[in-house]
């Protein structure tokens, strides 16, 4: 199979990077994401995990991918896939407004980009939260990391995170 790539973009900021799909390590997840592209939504900064931005989208896979290529310590450039029930993300400690769009869906997928080191996927409410590493950024990570830090400091309101085919 030829290498496949996705474009990851902070739309309002006009910043993008390119990631290679890890078809050899997470084939089921890569296939599900690829078939569902384009994907995206409001961006959130997950400072409790350290250096992560993500978007929540309705579940899109016919069958939920298995926990392939898992990690609880993502590295810079990792794209991760997490699956949650809307109830799991319904606590006020997560900071979502009561009218958050993901609450309308039974299952929610969190598509995340990790942009810097020292990440640990440990949630105070639920414990370890392993993610599926399905892609790795191969171009544009430095610019995206700067934009992610700006997002953390200046705010995410009105910004979207998109994943699409190049």
């Amino acid at each position: 199979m030829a290498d496949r790539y996705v474009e990851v973009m902070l739309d309002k900021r006009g910043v993008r990077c390119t990631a290679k799909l890890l078809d050899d390590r997470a084939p089921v997840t890569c296939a599900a994401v690829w078939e569902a592209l384009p994907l995206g939504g409001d961006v959130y900064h997950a400072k409790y995990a350290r250096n992560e931005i993500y978007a929540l989208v309705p579940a899109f896979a016919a069958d939920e991918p298995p926990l392939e290529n898992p990690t609880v310590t993502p590295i810079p450039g990792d794209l991760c896939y997490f699956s949650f029930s809307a109830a799991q993300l319904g606590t006020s400690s997560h900071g979502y407004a009561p009218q958050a769009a993901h609450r309308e869906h039974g299952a929610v997928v969190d598509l995340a980009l990790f942009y810097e080191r020292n990440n640990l996927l440990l949630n105070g409410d639920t414990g370890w939260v392993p993610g599926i590493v399905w892609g790795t950024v191969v171009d544009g990570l430095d610019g995206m990391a700067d934009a992610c830090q700006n997002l953390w400091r200046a705010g995410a309101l009105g910004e979207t995170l998109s994943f699409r085919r190049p």
Side-chain angles (χ1 to χ4, degrees):
M1 174 183 275
D3 290 341
R4 297 188 293 178
Y5 297 88
V6 295
E7 180 181 83
V8 182
M9 185 168 181
L10 285 169
D11 298 302
K12 184 177 173 184
R13 285 170 172 78
V15 177
R16 70 187 73 212
C17 59
T18 303
K20 178 183 172 196
L21 272 66
L22 300 176
D23 286 302
D24 58 332
R25 297 181 185 167
V28 176
T29 306
C30 288
V33 171
W34 185 257
E35 290 305 314
L37 292 174
L39 293 164
D42 291 342
V43 68
Y44 296 92
H45 197 293
K47 211 51 173 172
Y48 65 84
R50 294 274 297 164
N51 301 297
E52 171 194 359
I53 62 169
Y54 65 97
L56 299 174
V57 299
F60 50 82
D63 294 310
E64 185 61 29
L67 189 58
E68 52 187 1
N69 201 28
T71 189
V72 293
T73 56
I75 61 173
D78 277 351
L79 298 183
C80 289
Y81 174 109
F82 303 89
S83 182
F84 301 104
S85 71
Q88 284 176 293
L89 300 182
T91 65
S92 60
S93 63
H94 286 83
Y96 305 117
Q99 70 277 15
H102 76 271
R103 292 179 189 241
E104 300 171 9
H105 309 288
V108 179
V109 171
D110 167 335
L111 293 177
L113 165 68
F114 290 84
Y115 64 90
E116 187 51 78
R117 299 170 34 106
N118 299 322
N119 302 294
L120 185 62
L121 302 179
L122 180 61
N123 181 295
D125 295 331
T126 61
W128 295 108
V129 184
I132 299 169
V133 182
W134 60 274
T136 186
V137 174
V138 295
D139 185 48
L141 184 59
D142 289 343
M144 181 60 81
D146 290 344
C148 292
Q149 282 294 349
N150 176 264
L151 184 92
W152 170 243
R153 300 285 297 155
L157 203 56
E159 181 64 89
T160 55
L161 177 63
S162 298
F163 299 81
R164 58 181 69 110
R165 295 178 189 185

